Amino acid sequence: MNYLMASVESQMKFWNCAEVTINAGTPTSPTPTTPPPTVGLTPTASPMEIMPSPSGIPYPCCSWNSESCDQPENTWCHESKSNCEGPCNGIYRDPYNQPPPVPTNTSAPTATPPTSIPPVSIAPVVNDTPQPVVIQTPAPSSPSNGGELFSTSNTLSAWDALLKIEPLTNVVSSNPPVYSLLASGGAAGSGDVVSEGQAYGMLISAIVLASWDSHSIGNSEANWDVAVDYFEGYFNGWKTMCLGSSTIAGCQSGGSFCKDTTLTEGKSNICLPGWKHSGDLSTEIGSGAAPDGDEDAIVAMILAIKAFDGKSEKPSWYDDLRKWADASCSSFLYHNTVVENGHRLLKLGSCWGGWGSSGNNPSYHSPGSFKVMRDYHVDFSNTDRDYSLPNYGSGSLEDHWNNLIETSYEVLSATQCPDQGMVPNWATVEMTGDEIVHAGGSFSGSGTPQWEYGSEAARTTWRVAIDAALYPDDMSSASAYLRPLLMTLEIGYDPFQPKSFLDNTFTSCAVPTSHGEQEVYPLSSGWLWNAFVYAPTVSSLVVPISEVSNSDQQDMIDEVGAGLEQNIHTSYYPLCWTILSILTINGAVESSGGLLSPSAPTSPPATLAPTIVTAAPIVPPTNGPVTPSPVATLAPTFARPINPTLTPDPTVASTPDSTPAPIAPPSQPYPCCGWPDNHGLCGQLDNGYCQANKSQCTGNCGGTWYTDPNGTTSAPVEQPSDDDGCCTWGGWNTCPDWALTSQDVCQHSAAACTGENCFGTWIDFSSDTRKLIRGSSA
């Protein structure tokens, strides 16, 4: 079709399973298009009854502990009412236009606003020795515009935004449409697909559909059928990824909840695909789900469903989409989260991450997305499900989602520096009593520095902003979280700058951890000049800043909208984040949220309690190192790059007494691993990890090691390996320490390493000449 292209130019570098180009330095500044405004106020001469300020400072001016104005050298605070009564926390005195107010503060400020981000070149001075001040973040007051969100038409339309991703779209099939959104560089490979990128394509097209009536129906160039085709193609591509992903290696045993009826003849498989696939979607390259991609894809499905609900004619695949979205919600809540001390935490994926040293990523937490999933999941009729809900523990389905939402905001609060609002790319979080705290431990992945507000961390700002945009009547948590960052943007705003903000708007700031304060710092090459940081950061301007007037904030978002439209990168990662941010500030996301009001179930709920599915213990992820330089001839990495020294423990879901697990056939060779409901026999025979040896069976897997069908136990029967070497992922040509000391089953032998459960590369050093033995998918 005319709107799609089957190839993409791939040329840039990669950070977080995405293509990222770090632009060094500041480009040549273009000539400002906005006429220079008059700076400051020019008061008219007053009648003699208005006495001059005793301090000699001309009215209007700022005061703190007297009825006149103080600190004559503090020009920045005196410059405007917003400066005085905002960051300076003073009282703006303008007797020519209003009665003098009664002061409420008992002392003058001891410092200026942050010296790194004044909006003019003259830094404010307090007394003789200026000191930096930390912006305090009290509970947000009512927004100046009555709680309404801001948006701008001074940027791309929703339709034009959709067309911008056409060059990245690969047509795998035309009938039915199956499209992949190609990424390139680093771990994303060259022309491969990562689940994160495929989800961007789904979400962008779904937002366009869901906002159609308000943002595209009057556009003569917009075509509903083409937009539907875009979404259908990306959705079918996502399903193809799911259907081609390994259940075991993807750590989703027992979780084949998704059933396809349009691409296959009723095939069922997991709902959360492996994080990396080939460009034609024929091969899974990296196993294990990634929640950032999963949550965006699921929200996209739900928005598309809501868009179709308002139409008299629905696509033939509508029911397939509806059921796939529900099953995906079930899988996400079950496989991508972990519970500790009553807190449900988002992990780094189905195979890794969680509490403590397992590592976490603030930018994966998307409370607004979880609200969308919660409302849809709870509202879905159990009689329409082709599977049985898994066991999430005690409490209602809504309780579990609310727990995840609340925990996510606690994590974001714990990892945020309170004065500027930044979070780090990576974090470790733990429980101290009933409180979630930032542990401050060392953890990093995807090649991004841990303590940087960079290509990972900046997404956090957008994820919280869309919570406000999708649920404006429930945005108190989003507003509170965004407040320090919005204040930082407001003070750093300068319409004379090429991108409307000062380079040093963000500086290093301290975030408290269990081991003392740590410094979070902005992207070293400049937050303004890298769209994957700038765009999601400024998308927060849809949320009202209580200290800023409506007209001033509207000016800010209008300037930002024009800047985003004029500076759209052509490569995958910055392009996608620019488009998502444009759809946020042009109001399309907010318009989509208008379709999300809960509705009554279309079918009566089932009268019988759902059968509980017991998931098998999770096998080790195909997680590989990210730091060594790969050998050019080696196959691509077979895991989402996370800290290679941290191997997530397999987990076993609790099994209710009412649902016995399948009993192993007597022909199963012993020794083997089993669980109480196996009645003394082997269980979960496809679980290579738990069946490998007694230590893994009785340790992480929580099973019993059996040596005969009668259920008697004995010491583990280890099978020593004749192979001398180690199993690696990610391009090693020597055995690293973590591989030599690991007791993982993948290290047992070359056969285990290269087999279907590990998909690794075996480094054989039994002879002087080392040889590499790769798995069938390596």
Side-chain angles (χ1 to χ4, degrees), residues 2 25 52 59 66 84 116 125 142 235-236 259 336 381 387 400 406 459 462 511 521 543 631 686 693 703 706 775:
N2 295 333
Y59 290 119
S66 69
C84 174
S116 62
V125 178
S142 298
F235 172 54
N236 283 339
K259 182 178 180 180
N336 279 346
S381 172
Y387 65 97
H400 296 303
E406 293 164 5
R459 303 181 302 175
W462 176 83
V511 57
Y521 53 90
V543 177
V631 178
D686 59 351
N693 54 57
Y706 295 124

Side-chain angles (χ1 to χ4, degrees), residues 14 44 54 64 72 89 140 159 185 196-197 300 400 438 440 458 478 517 530 601 641 643 645 661 748 761:
F14 161 82
T44 305
W64 290 272
N89 199 27
W159 174 254
E196 172 189 6
H400 296 303
H438 193 169
E517 291 186 340
N530 292 280
N643 193 324
T645 63
H748 192 258
T761 298

Side-chain angles (χ1 to χ4, degrees), residues 572-597:
Y572 152 66
Y573 196 57
L575 169 60
C576 287
W577 274 109
T578 300
I579 297 306
L580 285 169
S581 299
I582 285 175
L583 290 173
T584 305
I585 67 170
N586 74 6
V589 172
E590 180 186 3
S591 178
S592 300
L595 303 180
L596 295 173
S597 58

Side-chain angles (χ1 to χ4, degrees), residues 345-348 354 358-362 365 411 425-429 443:
L345 176 72
L346 183 70
K347 303 191 300 179
L348 293 174
S358 295
N360 213 274
N361 186 317
H365 294 264
V411 169
N425 284 325
W426 301 92
T428 54
V429 294
F443 187 88

Side-chain angles (χ1 to χ4, degrees), residues 169-327:
T169 303
N170 176 44
V171 179
V172 179
S173 168
S174 297
N175 188 22
V178 178
Y179 305 153
S180 62
L181 194 139
L182 301 179
S184 65
S190 178
D192 291 324
V193 177
V194 291
S195 60
E196 172 189 6
Q198 187 71 14
Y200 292 155
M202 293 176 64
L203 185 56
I204 289 168
S205 55
I207 292 171
V208 172
L209 290 175
S211 65
W212 192 266
D213 289 350
S214 60
H215 282 70
S216 298
I217 202 167
N219 186 336
S220 61
E221 297 181 356
N223 187 314
W224 169 265
D225 293 335
V226 171
V228 171
D229 186 87
Y230 264 107
F231 176 80
E232 181 186 6
Y234 293 133
F235 172 54
N236 283 339
W238 181 267
K239 288 201 300 180
T240 301
M241 294 167 69
C242 294
L243 295 171
S245 295
S246 169
T247 301
I248 301 300
C251 307
Q252 297 173 62
S253 295
S256 296
F257 303 150
C258 281
K259 182 178 180 180
D260 171 61
T261 60
T262 59
L263 302 178
T264 65
E265 295 181 358
K267 180 179 179 180
S268 295
N269 205 37
I270 58 178
C271 306
L272 310 177
W275 72 272
K276 184 179 180 182
H277 289 249
S278 60
D280 63 0
L281 306 181
S282 63
T283 306
E284 180 187 32
I285 300 175
S287 59
D292 52 344
D294 297 337
E295 63 202 15
D296 290 343
I298 298 170
V299 168
M301 296 179 213
I302 296 171
L303 290 181
I305 291 166
K306 297 298 183 180
F308 296 139
D309 282 347
K311 304 297 179 182
S312 57
E313 294 185 4
K314 297 176 175 58
S316 59
W317 40 273
Y318 169 79
D319 196 56
D320 191 67
L321 170 65
R322 196 174 60 85
K323 291 184 177 182
W324 199 285
D326 168 73

Side-chain angles (χ1 to χ4, degrees), residues 664-688:
S667 60
Q668 164 66 21
Y670 292 90
C672 64
C673 195
W675 290 267
D677 287 335
N678 301 130
H679 308 294
L681 301 179
C682 305
Q684 302 177 5
L685 304 182
D686 59 351
N687 193 329

Side-chain angles (χ1 to χ4, degrees), residues 478-497:
S479 295
Y481 171 82
L482 291 173
R483 177 177 168 78
L485 185 137
L486 286 169
M487 290 298 298
T488 304
L489 287 175
E490 190 273 331
I491 297 172
Y493 175 66
D494 184 347
F496 302 117
Q497 297 297 319

